[in-house]
Amino acid sequence: MENWYLWIKIAHVIGVISWMAALFYLPRLFVYHREHHDKPEFVAIVCIQEQKLYQYIAMPAMILVVISGLALLYILGTEVFKHGWLHLKLLCVLILLHYHFMCGKFIRVLGQNGQHKSGRFFRWINEVPTICMIVIVFCAVGKFF
């Protein structure tokens, strides 16, 4: 089982890196989308970028993270759930999952030319994955509590 653990952990880290990259960049595309809504050619290109980033990078990476994360928890067993750092980490993962699907909703609304949130809103919401990532790294690496 030890060999499987290492390979699953490698897949998990690769998935996390890919997923976080997508979650960092999507809101930036939303900012461009909203702030240049008066340029239809530009918005059309940004719409394609949003959809492809979400469908071909963010979604598969998120699935890899969830499946590999669950596999790691299974291998580690119930003993790991006694640690507070894991509970905080899993809370941040749930926030990121909600954020991920929220981004999917923003893509749909913006793609329908819906007057959704402002560019400023998307600049602020872009901080959510950064904060979650910092907390997750402190929990997973430091295991302070």
Side-chain angles (χ1 to χ4, degrees), residues 13-114:
V13 170
I14 291 169
V16 168
I17 291 168
S18 301
W19 189 34
M20 292 307 299
L23 293 182
F24 290 149
Y25 192 56
L26 269 171
R28 175 56 42 192
L29 290 173
F30 299 156
V31 170
Y32 297 150
H33 192 136
R34 289 298 296 131
E35 291 184 351
H36 299 283
H37 66 279
D38 56 337
K39 301 174 188 163
E41 298 86 16
F42 180 81
V43 168
I45 293 169
V46 170
C47 277
I48 292 168
Q49 291 175 327
E50 291 166 352
Q51 291 169 353
K52 287 187 175 187
L53 178 60
Y54 189 76
Q55 289 175 341
Y56 300 122
I57 296 174
M59 190 63 78
M62 182 269 301
I63 291 168
L64 178 61
V65 167
V66 170
I67 290 172
S68 61
L70 290 172
L72 291 171
L73 288 174
Y74 177 77
I75 291 169
L76 292 172
T78 57
E79 185 69 26
V80 74
F81 286 98
K82 294 180 180 178
H83 303 285
W85 64 266
L86 180 65
H87 295 274
L88 181 56
K89 177 186 175 185
L90 292 176
L91 174 64
C92 288
V93 171
L94 289 175
I95 292 168
L96 287 174
L97 285 167
H98 178 74
Y99 182 87
H100 173 94
F101 291 110
M102 222 171 56
C103 285
K105 180 182 176 189
F106 292 147
I107 290 169
R108 286 188 298 280
V109 170
L110 289 168
Q112 299 168 353
N113 293 325

